[in-house]
């Protein structure tokens, strides 16, 4: 948004691609190479063993930081949404893919609750905080610099809705096995369309859709560790998922475009309206509830990914070290993942063979 407000639409798109290209390229290459050269995904080499718990520790840090900004009502909404997400992921009677419908409904209910609360004489939360400076509707210079009129914003909304509807219809009307790339794009575009909040919010949805039907849990967590260690948003993780699923660059590019596409279209579509809406009290109150509910999904990701990534004492040691470095010393994410990877490699059964006894035997 900073590049968009200062350099207009072209500057915003340029900044977007420059910020994302390094992560896109590296994760695509890693996904293809790991799929090609690692024969047993469930028995990864020692140099990959520490990546999953190190990456999950960063998700915990993000969740803790988000919760620090919530009031009591926001924490309650986050708790409820987190419980719902955990329940969906660990109930044999509920298909994990139902999260594509349940999560948006949960976000909407969260927004409705804070909206109704804001109308009470003595609300549980505070809604009188004025919007920060910038993006003022009265600033003609700013709106001219951005260069996106309202009619273009409406057109982008229609384009997003059209692409979403078309891809869903095509997948439902055709055999997905005949066009696997359409399946990947539709899946990612749907997920990208319903996500709100930080990057980590997308993790429960991605795991529900890709594990175990499209890849092993170890492959998923290894990619998460690699994505956390690179610059750019966590959404670049989609390139790795597409590369592992299809074993080629095209799968990575289709998955990446599918996940990022809705966000790019909706951000540019929203820009002409944002300066006005952010001064509307009702809109701000709804946004507060949606944001708090989305944070609960990050909490659910912590629980789900912890259970998957920390299976023995060695993993727990890596998690503790990585979390300590990230939270106490605020070490940068790439160095946290590197430190966790080194410790995991040292403790691996092929090196020192320490802490390898599983917590739960099958």
């Amino acid at each position: 948004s900073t590049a968009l407000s200062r350099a207009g639409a072209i500057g915003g798109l340029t900044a977007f691609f420059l910020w994302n290209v390094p992560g896109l390229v590296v994760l695509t290459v890693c996904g293809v190479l790991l799929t090609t050269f690692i024969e047993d995904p469930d028995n990864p080499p020692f140099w990959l063993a520490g990546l999953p718990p190190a990456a999950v520790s960063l998700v915990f840090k993000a969740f803790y930081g988000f919760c620090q900004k919530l009031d009591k009502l926001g924490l309650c909404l986050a708790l409820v949404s987190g419980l719902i997400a955990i329940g969906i992921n660990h109930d044999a009677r509920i298909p994990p893919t139902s999260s594509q419908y349940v999560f948006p409904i949960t976000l909407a209910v969260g927004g409705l609750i804070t909206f109704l609360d804001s109308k009470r004489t003595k609300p549980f939360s505070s809604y009188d905080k004025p919007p920060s400076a910038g993006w003022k509707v009265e600033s003609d210079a700013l709106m001219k610099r951005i260069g996106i009129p309202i009619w273009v914003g409406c057109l982008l909304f229609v384009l997003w809705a059209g692409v979403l509807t078309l891809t869903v219809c095509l997948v439902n009307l055709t055999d997905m096995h005949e066009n696997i790339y359409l399946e990947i794009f539709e899946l990612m575009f749907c997920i990208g369309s319903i996500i709100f909040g930080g990057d980590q919010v997308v993790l429960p949805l991605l795991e529900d859709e890709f594990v175990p039907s499209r890849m092993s849990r170890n492959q998923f967590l290894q990619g998460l560790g690699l994505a956390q260690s690179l610059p750019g948003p966590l959404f670049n993780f989609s390139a790795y998922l597409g590369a592992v699923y299809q074993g080629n660059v095209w799968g990575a590019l289709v998955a990446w475009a599918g996940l990022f596409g809705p966000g790019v279209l909706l951000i540019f579509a929203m820009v002409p309206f944002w300066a006005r809406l952010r001064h509307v009290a009702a809109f701000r109150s709804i946004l507060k509830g949606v944001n708090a509910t989305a944070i609960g999904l990050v909490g659910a990701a912590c629980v789900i990914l912890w259970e998957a990534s920390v299976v023995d004492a060695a993993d727990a040691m890596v998690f503790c070290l990585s979390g300590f470095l990230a939270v106490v010393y605020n070490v940068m994410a790439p160095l946290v993942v590197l430190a966790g990877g080194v410790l995991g490699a040292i403790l691996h059964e092929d090196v020192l063979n320490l802490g390898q006894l599983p917590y739960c035997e099958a």
Side-chain angles (χ1 to χ4, degrees):
S1 62
T2 301
L4 183 61
S5 64
R6 294 181 179 275
I10 296 178
L13 283 173
T14 302
F16 167 79
F17 283 109
L18 291 177
W19 188 35
N20 284 284
V21 164
L24 166 64
V25 173
V26 173
L27 287 169
T28 298
V29 172
C30 289
V32 173
L33 291 179
L34 291 178
T35 304
T36 304
F37 294 104
I38 295 182
E39 298 180 357
D40 184 7
D42 293 323
N43 187 26
F46 72 95
W47 45 272
L48 286 176
L51 296 188
V56 173
S57 73
L58 295 174
V59 181
F60 271 80
K61 179 192 176 183
F63 178 58
Y64 175 76
F66 291 148
C67 288
Q68 292 291 99
K69 302 175 183 178
L70 297 178
D71 54 25
K72 290 184 178 180
L73 177 59
L75 289 172
C76 290
L77 293 174
L79 173 63
V80 172
S81 66
L83 294 176
I84 292 173
I86 293 170
I88 290 175
N89 193 269
H90 288 79
D91 193 307
R93 296 168 298 178
I94 304 175
T97 53
S98 63
S99 58
Q100 287 198 24
Y101 308 99
V102 176
F103 286 4
I105 294 174
T106 304
L107 296 175
V109 171
L112 177 61
I113 289 174
T114 49
F115 171 74
L116 295 176
D117 181 58
S118 68
K119 299 300 180 182
R120 299 174 65 246
T121 305
K122 294 182 179 180
F124 294 111
S125 187
S126 175
Y127 303 94
D128 55 0
K129 182 180 179 181
S132 58
W135 293 90
K136 295 179 180 178
V137 66
E138 297 84 2
S139 177
D140 294 333
L142 174 64
M143 302 312 291
K144 289 180 180 179
R145 188 162 60 244
I146 294 174
I148 302 178
I150 291 180
W151 70 268
V152 173
C154 295
L155 185 62
L156 291 174
F157 272 119
V158 173
L159 177 61
W160 162 75
V163 172
L164 179 63
T165 303
L166 179 62
T167 53
V168 171
C169 291
L170 287 175
V171 166
N172 290 329
L173 294 175
T174 60
D175 184 359
M176 291 190 298
H177 298 290
E178 295 180 358
N179 193 338
I180 201 70
Y181 296 107
L182 175 62
E183 174 204 350
I184 298 174
F185 184 83
E186 184 267 344
L187 173 62
M188 289 298 194
F189 201 89
C190 288
I191 292 176
S193 297
I194 62 179
I195 285 301
F196 179 89
D199 290 348
Q200 290 81 5
V201 176
V202 78
L203 293 177
L205 276 168
L206 290 177
E207 191 190 23
D208 288 344
E209 295 291 346
F210 280 88
V211 179
S213 59
R214 295 177 172 90
M215 65 183 61
S216 72
R217 182 157 289 174
N218 276 327
Q219 288 177 310
F220 182 90
L221 294 171
Q222 289 156 13
L224 176 60
L226 293 170
Q228 294 273 33
S229 67
L230 295 170
L234 190 57
F235 273 30
N236 281 328
F237 184 31
S238 59
Y240 170 88
L241 297 176
V244 171
Y245 180 38
Q246 281 301 290
N248 56 46
V249 174
W250 295 114
L253 293 177
V254 170
W256 184 85
L259 191 61
F260 271 104
V264 173
L265 288 174
L266 292 174
I267 286 174
F268 280 88
M270 192 68 182
V271 164
F273 306 96
W274 180 249
R276 294 169 174 82
L277 287 175
R278 67 193 301 273
H279 291 276
V280 178
F283 176 77
R284 295 203 307 271
S285 66
I286 292 173
L287 208 59
K288 187 170 186 176
V290 173
N291 182 64
T293 308
I295 290 174
L297 302 183
V298 181
C302 291
V303 175
I304 295 167
L305 296 176
W306 162 270
E307 179 267 339
S309 63
V310 180
V311 298
D312 53 36
D315 292 331
M317 293 163 69
V318 172
F319 176 87
C320 291
L321 172 67
S322 303
F324 179 81
L325 294 175
V327 176
V328 178
Y329 288 104
N330 201 30
V331 176
M332 294 186 297
L335 297 179
V336 170
V337 175
L338 177 61
V342 170
L343 180 59
I346 293 173
L347 298 175
H348 193 267
E349 61 182 355
D350 292 339
V351 185
L352 294 183
N353 193 23
L354 295 174
Q356 300 299 314
L357 186 63
Y359 286 128
C360 299
E361 295 287 353

